[in-house]
Amino acid sequence: MEDLTSLPQDVRGTECAADASDDALLRQFAEGDAGAARALTDRLAPRCFSVAMRMLGNRTEAEDVTQDAMMRLWKMAPKWVSGQAKVSTWLYRVTLNLCVDVQRKNRPDRLDDVPEPEDNDLSAAEKLQEAARKDALQTALSQLPERQKQAVILRHIEELSNPEIAGIMGISTEAVESLTARGKRGLAAILAGRQDELGYEDD
């Protein structure tokens, strides 16, 4: 087995980054390791963007929130205390707060900016139906109370555990369960009667 200590520093960083924890990578960045920053960005920025995209329904705003959240992470890095919290939990919390700030600016929702994934296996009709489903979900999410929307996105779209969501939102696990349950009921009520239109009649 090749001795990693014999490799140049940037190569060693590439070899080790995949196995390093978020906490370790953040400490390495704070010590001047640019490779650690790249690895942590590759790992966390897509999660941050996913949450912002669902919260805001606008790609440009979600990208701005992601960039702002990552910048705050880098600024905070020298002060990070290992063991007090998960880096991802801290970043999700910052992301949600930034999204709330954006939403406080009075503006109409721009759902047309939500990107649709390409799927060459779908027919034109199927693509239209899939787009309608995504728009319907985004519209329904936007009608939920803010805390319910956050809980539903983190639990059922990001697939985080209830304890982790509790840490992100600063509430108890029981409160997360309650918010998630109410959010799911709210979505069901909003989407009631649209099963046929959205192609869910046989699901």
Side-chain angles (χ1 to χ4, degrees):
M1 182 176 181
E2 187 175 10
D3 182 2
L4 292 180
T5 61
S6 66
L7 298 174
Q9 183 176 357
D10 57 345
V11 177
R12 291 202 306 271
T14 301
E15 294 285 342
C16 298
D19 298 325
S21 68
D22 295 345
D23 196 276
L25 288 173
L26 190 61
R27 290 198 309 270
Q28 290 169 22
F29 165 74
E31 295 168 359
D33 186 344
R38 288 192 295 272
L40 202 53
T41 297
D42 290 344
R43 185 181 297 177
L44 297 181
R47 302 184 204 173
C48 179
F49 176 78
S50 176
V51 170
M53 193 69 216
R54 282 300 179 186
M55 287 292 298
L56 301 172
N58 179 277
R59 186 179 186 86
T60 299
E61 290 176 345
E63 289 174 346
D64 289 344
V65 163
T66 300
Q67 183 176 12
D68 194 353
M70 294 305 296
M71 287 299 298
R72 294 185 185 207
L73 180 64
W74 306 140
K75 291 178 181 178
M76 176 275 299
K79 303 176 182 177
W80 182 255
V81 179
S82 298
Q84 287 192 351
K86 292 176 65 175
V87 176
S88 59
T89 297
W90 184 93
L91 188 62
Y92 274 124
R93 185 183 302 125
V94 169
T95 300
L96 289 179
N97 289 339
L98 289 171
C99 288
V100 170
D101 290 342
V102 171
Q103 290 171 326
R104 282 175 180 157
K105 301 174 184 176
N106 292 325
R107 57 148 181 84
D109 290 323
R110 297 190 292 277
L111 297 177
D112 290 342
D113 289 338
V114 178
E116 300 296 342
E118 292 294 329
D119 190 339
N120 296 326
D121 294 331
L122 296 179
S123 68
E126 288 171 332
K127 288 180 179 178
L128 287 173
Q129 188 171 79
E130 186 65 20
R133 288 178 176 181
K134 292 180 184 297
D135 282 349
L137 175 60
Q138 189 67 39
T139 301
L141 282 170
S142 71
Q143 296 177 50
L144 291 180
E146 191 66 26
R147 300 291 273 178
Q148 290 182 26
K149 177 169 68 171
Q150 292 175 3
V152 168
I153 289 172
L154 293 175
R155 183 70 185 92
H156 295 290
I157 297 177
E158 292 304 304
E159 298 183 341
L160 301 182
S161 67
N162 286 340
E164 186 169 6
I165 297 170
I168 292 167
M169 297 182 67
I171 57 180
S172 68
T173 301
E174 291 75 15
V176 171
E177 293 171 351
S178 175
L179 284 171
T180 302
R182 282 184 284 150
K184 287 178 64 179
R185 287 197 298 270
L187 288 176
I190 293 167
L191 295 172
R194 298 192 63 187
Q195 288 89 345
D196 290 348
E197 172 194 348
L198 299 173
Y200 288 123
E201 65 274 18
D202 297 323
D203 289 2

